[in-house]
Amino acid sequence: MPESETDVLLSRREIEEAHERIRGHAHRTPVLRSSTFDRRFGAELFFKCENFQKVGAFKFRGAFNAVSRLSPEQLERGVTTHSSGNHAQALALAAHIAGTRARIVMPKTAPAVKLAAVRGYGAEVVLCDQTLEAREATVAQVIEETGATLVHPYDHRDIIAGQATAAKELIEDVPSLDLILMPVGGGGLASGTALAAYHFSPDTRVVGVEPKEADDAFRSLETGDRQPPVTPPRTLADGLQTALSDLTFGVLKNHLHSIVTVDEESIVDAMRLIWERMKIVVEPSGAVPFAAVHAGAIDVEGLRVGIILSGGNVDLGKLPWASG
Amino acid sequence: MPESETDVLLSRREIEEAHERIRGHAHRTPVLRSSTFDRRFGAELFFKCENFQKVGAFKFRGAFNAVSRLSPEQLERGVTTHSSGNHAQALALAAHIAGTRARIVMPKTAPAVKLAAVRGYGAEVVLCDQTLEAREATVAQVIEETGATLVHPYDHRDIIAGQATAAKELIEDVPSLDLILMPVGGGGLASGTALAAYHFSPDTRVVGVEPKEADDAFRSLETGDRQPPVTPPRTLADGLQTALSDLTFGVLKNHLHSIVTVDEESIVDAMRLIWERMKIVVEPSGAVPFAAVHAGAIDVEGLRVGIILSGGNVDLGKLPWASG
């Protein structure tokens, strides 16, 4: 825990301001419950449904907050990022709403449906080779040519402040939570959630959940040294393959209670169980926190537990279980 | 339209009483919207999410209302029905809550997962051959042996009154609807919806939607004579293969504006679109009303349209599109 307010990345007021900025643009997503799950796990589970958020994931909160903070000059020149995931669509839509131009660097190998989605929100897609080096070089070139502002998916105060609003809403809607669980990828959502709890519900424990096959954040906290991402990616939770940045690692060291890990089978089981019982579509990354409950990686008995279902973007033609 | 109140199957008060009976037992399900769909169809669409209802379908409303009206003597002897669909689970759970015994007659060929679901709610499953004759004979035998009360899935005033509460809630939550769409199978939901609109929102047009491959209700209204079910079943909307009863045909003749039909491809497209865009799981039957909008079978431009998503019980291992 931080020793003084100066150790805290974001103030209470900064998160409140982010929340005011996104109001009317981002959805205040519902909190759903399942009496079946409550009985089965002997707990009260509260699911914050960011799969119902604009673009189908919490990422829109951070992207919209970040774009809202740009100056008129920056808006004139546009924004850019490299992403083939939910942040790409989130930034594309946020830029569209703000009336600025987004240039999204995506690998040539990205599925056509993802390219189409980003273009559908009015952004320009800049294709590059698949390597991280090629992506970064292409973004650098876009910035040099256009003066666009880079909006990083998580290594960014305004992004973290935006992501924090999901937990802020959950805390407002569900008082006296004992525990909040969310997935850990690059650490933007985890940092925002931990900071929201610190300011708005300090007695709530915040625990991150990570796939065993992408456990860099778990190992970073264990060793005290930031670990590189697991390569090549081995988890089907494709939103969680990224590694922490210095910024998010610093927040998680100070504010996160712990991280637990779950195996791939547990993620698929949890995802399918959510679809079957709750009748909602979550992506593998979004099912990761519930997998920790389902697999017994964390003890929730008798507790009031908030679970952030981070997103619902999944290729329905490629489900991680046999069909047909 | 009926010429006098004596033509109306259920009074306003009867629907209100059904609503009071199920309160605290059935969920008051949410009404969801999609800005993407609203833009695409130039309409305001309000989705009443009965896929989130207990047992995953509106059927729990009618079953619970019917069971609540039984006398102590009837409760002593239990209830029975034949169904391999959502009504089976609904009656099983309603009986369990009411502390009475349910004996559900199901064909030997029913999927193991459906038998397990009914038993999971505490009901006894009585297996029989697959023909309608065998099912009816087995139910008759159960009644003779046990004195159980038959709770028919739709040919039953209390069932219709229970199903009417879904539209009643929709009308309360969304004033001034121009149109309500719901699927038509045996006509229980359709009758309840039409009667709810008649009493609580008389300016709202109620239109039924039926698969082209199971269009007995459409042809019944066209010809004025009740038509038999299409056999063998040809639609993947397995909840809509049943035919109207005299009771439901009478209500629909008096109170339904019209029925439109949709082909199988439109049903699959609509179902997939709801999953992809709204991030919720609906079964083929539940997607049928939206299929009419999506396929242009009904003109909704400029209208406020309520759409009843009737259920979300689908075998995730057998989706009607290619996967893997």
Side-chain angles (χ1 to χ4, degrees), chain B residues 4-322:
Chain B
S4 75
E5 279 293 327
T6 58
D7 291 334
V8 181
L9 181 72
L10 297 172
S11 70
R12 180 187 176 98
R13 186 75 203 120
E14 284 174 285
I15 298 174
E16 287 168 345
E17 283 170 355
H19 207 194
E20 281 154 27
R21 259 177 235 120
I22 69 170
R23 187 161 299 161
H25 296 285
H27 294 308
R28 186 174 181 113
T29 54
V31 176
L32 295 186
R33 308 194 54 183
S34 159
S35 49
T36 306
F37 289 165
D38 282 2
R39 268 196 310 276
R40 184 183 297 193
F41 301 109
E44 293 174 274
L45 306 183
F46 300 88
F47 294 88
K48 175 68 171 167
C49 290
E50 288 297 294
N51 53 333
F52 294 160
Q53 189 50 265
K54 287 218 176 132
V55 314
F58 73 92
K59 293 276 187 182
F60 181 72
R61 295 176 182 269
F64 190 82
N65 186 51
V67 170
S68 301
R69 305 247 317 166
L70 297 179
S71 68
E73 293 71 28
Q74 288 174 309
L75 288 172
E76 185 72 30
R77 295 193 298 269
V79 292
T80 188
T81 198
H82 66 85
S83 164
S84 56
N86 291 330
H87 178 64
Q89 294 183 48
L91 187 61
L93 178 60
H96 176 76
I97 294 172
T100 186
R101 186 164 176 184
R103 294 175 182 84
I104 312 289
V105 174
M106 298 177 78
K108 287 172 190 163
T109 50
V113 60
K114 294 204 171 182
L115 301 178
V118 168
R119 291 187 179 121
Y121 290 118
E124 179 188 341
V125 171
V126 183
L127 293 171
C128 71
D129 285 336
Q130 205 186 356
T131 64
L132 184 60
E133 293 70 30
R135 294 185 187 203
E136 286 180 347
T138 310
V139 164
Q141 197 184 339
V142 167
I143 292 170
E144 195 183 309
E145 287 173 6
T146 65
T149 301
L150 174 66
V151 182
H152 191 277
Y154 52 87
D155 189 37
H156 192 311
R157 287 174 63 94
D158 297 331
I159 293 287
I160 295 172
Q163 320 306 31
T165 62
K168 177 173 182 282
E169 291 175 6
L170 176 61
I171 287 164
E172 287 167 358
D173 290 350
V174 188
S176 308
L177 284 170
D178 298 299
L179 176 65
I180 298 178
L181 302 174
M182 77 278 131
V184 184
L189 178 65
S191 295
T193 303
L195 288 165
Y198 174 80
H199 289 299
F200 303 108
S201 187
D203 292 337
T204 302
R205 198 163 28 118
V206 178
V207 172
V209 188
E210 215 179 14
K212 275 197 171 65
E213 300 295 335
D215 66 343
D216 56 281
F218 173 79
R219 288 181 290 106
S220 298
L221 288 190
E222 285 282 298
T223 60
D225 282 316
R226 190 159 69 87
Q227 301 292 315
V230 175
T231 52
R234 292 193 306 234
T235 178
L236 63 92
D238 54 343
L240 308 180
Q241 289 160 355
T242 43
L244 303 180
S245 69
D246 276 335
L247 190 69
T248 56
F249 183 45
V251 175
L252 298 188
K253 267 199 296 196
N254 276 337
H255 296 281
L256 203 63
H257 178 276
S258 55
I259 292 182
V260 298
T261 61
V262 290
D263 63 26
E264 296 295 294
E265 192 185 343
S266 301
I267 297 170
V268 177
D269 288 349
M271 177 175 162
R272 186 164 179 165
L273 206 53
I274 291 170
W275 289 39
E276 278 178 355
R277 294 301 171 128
M278 298 186 70
K279 311 298 180 191
I280 60 176
V281 172
V282 293
E283 60 191 65
S285 305
V288 160
F290 180 62
V293 175
H294 180 55
I298 187 159
D299 183 12
V300 296
E301 198 171 337
L303 301 184
R304 285 165 68 80
V305 184
I307 295 178
I308 301 185
L309 297 178
S310 54
N313 291 326
V314 53
D315 183 346
L316 293 175
K318 273 195 175 174
L319 297 176
W321 52 73

Side-chain angles (χ1 to χ4, degrees), chain A residues 279 281 312-313 316-317 321 323-324, chain B residues 279 281 312-313 316-317 321 323-324:
Chain A
K279 311 300 181 191
V281 172
N313 291 326
L316 292 174
W321 52 72
S323 171
Chain B
K279 311 298 180 191
V281 172
N313 291 326
L316 293 175
W321 52 73
S323 170

Side-chain angles (χ1 to χ4, degrees), chain A residues 49-117:
Chain A
C49 290
E50 288 297 294
N51 53 333
F52 294 159
Q53 188 51 266
K54 288 219 176 129
V55 314
F58 73 93
K59 294 277 186 182
F60 181 71
R61 296 175 181 268
F64 190 82
N65 185 51
V67 169
S68 299
R69 305 252 305 165
L70 297 178
S71 67
E73 292 72 27
Q74 288 175 309
L75 288 171
E76 185 71 29
R77 294 192 298 270
V79 292
T80 187
T81 199
H82 66 84
S83 164
S84 55
N86 292 331
H87 178 63
Q89 294 183 49
L91 186 62
L93 179 59
H96 177 76
I97 294 171
T100 186
R101 187 165 177 185
R103 294 175 181 85
I104 312 289
V105 175
M106 297 177 78
K108 287 173 189 160
T109 50
V113 60
K114 293 203 171 183
L115 300 178

Side-chain angles (χ1 to χ4, degrees), chain A residues 160 163-164 166-167 171 180 182 188-198 206 308:
Chain A
I160 295 171
Q163 319 306 31
I171 288 164
I180 298 179
M182 76 279 131
L189 178 64
S191 295
T193 303
L195 288 165
Y198 174 80
V206 178
I308 302 184

Side-chain angles (χ1 to χ4, degrees), chain A residues 4-31:
Chain A
S4 76
E5 279 294 327
T6 57
D7 290 334
V8 181
L9 181 73
L10 297 171
S11 71
R12 180 185 175 99
R13 186 73 204 122
E14 283 174 287
I15 297 174
E16 287 169 346
E17 284 170 356
H19 206 195
E20 282 155 27
R21 258 177 235 118
I22 69 171
R23 186 161 300 161
H25 296 285
H27 294 308
R28 187 175 180 112
T29 54
V31 176

